[in-house]
Amino acid sequence: MSKTLVYIEHTNGNLKRSSIELLQAAAKSGGSVAALVFGSQAAEAVTSAAHHGASEVHLVKDASLDSYNPEAFTANICAVVEKVQPSILLSSASSTARDLFPRVAARLNVGIASDCTELNISGDTVTAVKPMYSGKCFATANFQNSSVKIVLMRANQLPVGAADTSKTAQTVEHTVQKPDLKTLIKEVVKGASEKLDLTEANVIVSGGRGLKEANGFTMLHELADVLGATVGASRAVVDAGWVGHGMQVGQTGKTVAPSLYIAVGISGAIQHLAGMSGSKVIVAINNDPNAPIFQKATYGIVGDAFEIIPKLTEEFKKSLQH
Ligand SMILES: Cc1cc2nc3c(=O)[nH]c(=O)nc-3n(C[C@H](O)[C@H](O)[C@H](O)COP(=O)(O)OP(=O)(O)OC[C@H]3O[C@@H](n4cnc5c(N)ncnc54)[C@H](O)[C@@H]3O)c2cc1C
């Protein structure tokens, strides 16, 4: 029987949606599912990991793993993999994981498929699909002669069903590995936003160059506050320095799949669409009726964002108060 180890990303023991997607996908495949959790609050994640499909949860409960360090994380993942001997290792394709798992693959001398959007597990055989050239074509990856098959899945690509609260898991604690580090994280400076990360958000209001300047985002934040949404952006405005890179949606930014994506003053370049076309409902607001974004939009509003957004904010305020 195949054994899948899922690397869990969490905040204070709360599992990220992307990790839940992977646990449930692995559980559906029928093999045994183990979860791997790092950090001083790792134990807080055990119940949730069990409810979503893990029958074993491996913990490395050490504060040295609270913040990401590539060398420390690589050493600890490799040590657990050598003990647990999974045939499949899954993680989300977060920016941390995309830095970490190529190191793990090299250290273990095994294959890795990164940034995948489809996953098929049948026994020990894994097939993963990844978009190439901004989604213009898709490559199917299989593994050959790889004792562990590592797949990094983009967030929001797999369905999430209800948790099964009757399920429990066996926990296994591992001794932390403390390799001689060549780099040391001295401080982690959190962004000012208290909002959900884009990859977790259910509603996103995103702005592009049509907002004219950094101040144009003020009205988007007001609309987002009313809707309980997270604010995203196109690369053009990130490159212009109007907002931080953490807000960028697209091929070289984040992949999102909210229930509602409102694109304001964004033309709809293929690289932007690559990151948001999985959204359930897309509303485009643009003053050019021929903007490519309208081809993807569920609803389109042709007009000036500076007139439309304040009106929408007022209307949502009124209707959401009732
Ligand atoms: C390798 C590579 C990777 C890339 N990765 C990404 C990525 O990850 N994410 C990304 O977004 N882009 C990415 N890009 C850039 C992408 O090609 C586009 O340049 C970018 O998405 C354009 O951003 P924009 O839509 O904000 O700006 P523009 O293309 O300039 O569009 C601005 C839009 O605003 C509209 N507008 C203007 N004034 C108003 C107004 N008053 N009211 C309403 N609408 C108005 C205009 O009609 C226009 O459609 C990448 C490019 C490359 C080459």
Side-chain angles (χ1 to χ4, degrees):
M1 192 168 65
S2 70
K3 181 164 199 169
T4 302
L5 181 65
V6 178
Y7 172 73
I8 302 293
E9 291 180 313
H10 66 100
T11 309
N12 303 328
N14 294 315
L15 271 59
K16 288 206 166 176
R17 182 198 141 102
S18 49
S19 296
I20 295 175
E21 288 179 31
L22 296 173
L23 285 170
Q24 293 196 359
K28 268 190 214 138
S29 73
S32 85
V33 181
L36 169 59
V37 196
F38 283 170
S40 53
Q41 291 185 293
E44 314 284 321
V46 172
T47 308
S48 180
H51 290 171
H52 291 290
S55 56
E56 271 173 31
V57 183
H58 296 268
L59 305 171
V60 191
K61 292 196 297 185
D62 195 272
S64 66
L65 301 177
D66 282 347
S67 300
Y68 176 58
N69 178 296
E71 295 160 80
F73 274 49
T74 302
N76 280 281
I77 290 182
C78 291
V80 173
V81 166
E82 271 158 28
K83 285 201 186 117
V84 178
Q85 302 266 306
S87 45
I88 301 160
L89 175 54
L90 300 179
S91 167
S92 86
S94 64
S95 41
T96 299
R98 277 185 280 176
D99 184 66
L100 169 62
F101 281 93
R103 291 166 186 267
V104 172
R107 187 78 59 85
L108 297 172
N109 195 22
V110 300
I112 179 168
S114 193
D115 201 27
C116 299
T117 52
E118 285 177 39
L119 173 69
N120 200 330
I121 301 174
S122 171
D124 273 348
T125 308
V126 181
T127 310
V129 174
K130 58 180 283 171
M132 296 177 74
Y133 305 111
S134 311
K136 289 198 188 74
C137 63
F138 294 85
T140 302
N142 291 309
F143 292 82
Q144 289 184 319
N145 306 321
S146 188
S147 56
V148 186
K149 297 143 189 99
I150 304 180
V151 179
L152 307 187
M153 284 292 296
R154 277 193 195 172
N156 300 310
Q157 302 298 314
L158 301 167
V160 166
D164 182 346
T165 52
S166 67
K167 291 271 170 64
T168 54
Q170 181 199 351
T171 55
V172 183
E173 289 195 24
H174 296 261
T175 314
V176 66
Q177 306 291 313
K178 295 205 166 164
D180 286 338
L181 299 177
K182 296 187 190 75
T183 53
L184 197 64
I185 310 295
K186 297 190 85 170
E187 190 187 3
V188 176
V189 182
K190 288 212 163 91
S193 174
E194 293 293 320
K195 297 266 173 65
L196 274 179
D197 185 79
L198 283 169
T199 56
E200 306 267 311
N202 195 38
V203 181
I204 294 173
V205 182
S206 238
R209 197 148 39 191
L211 294 177
K212 313 290 183 210
E213 55 171 336
N215 275 345
F217 272 81
T218 308
M219 65 180 181
L220 287 204
H221 283 287
E222 283 163 8
L223 174 58
D225 285 343
V226 173
L227 294 175
T230 300
V231 178
S234 71
R235 174 164 158 178
V237 303
V238 172
D239 287 351
W242 298 357
V243 298
H245 180 258
M247 286 169 66
Q248 184 179 320
V249 173
Q251 184 194 337
T252 42
K254 291 182 176 164
T255 305
V256 300
S259 298
L260 174 61
Y261 188 90
I262 305 178
V264 187
I266 292 178
S267 58
I270 185 143
Q271 295 91 352
H272 188 80
L273 300 179
M276 47 62 83
S277 54
S279 308
K280 284 199 189 75
V281 172
I282 298 171
V283 176
I285 300 169
N286 198 302
N287 62 3
D288 174 5
N290 297 315
I293 189 78
F294 286 127
Q295 317 239 336
K296 275 277 167 196
T298 327
Y299 302 101
I301 304 175
V302 179
D304 183 355
F306 292 91
E307 283 175 26
I308 294 163
I309 295 298
K311 283 186 186 150
L312 273 183
T313 307
E314 275 316 304
E315 287 306 314
F316 278 125
K317 247 188 216 164
K318 280 187 220 155
S319 58
L320 291 172
Q321 267 166 4
H322 297 299

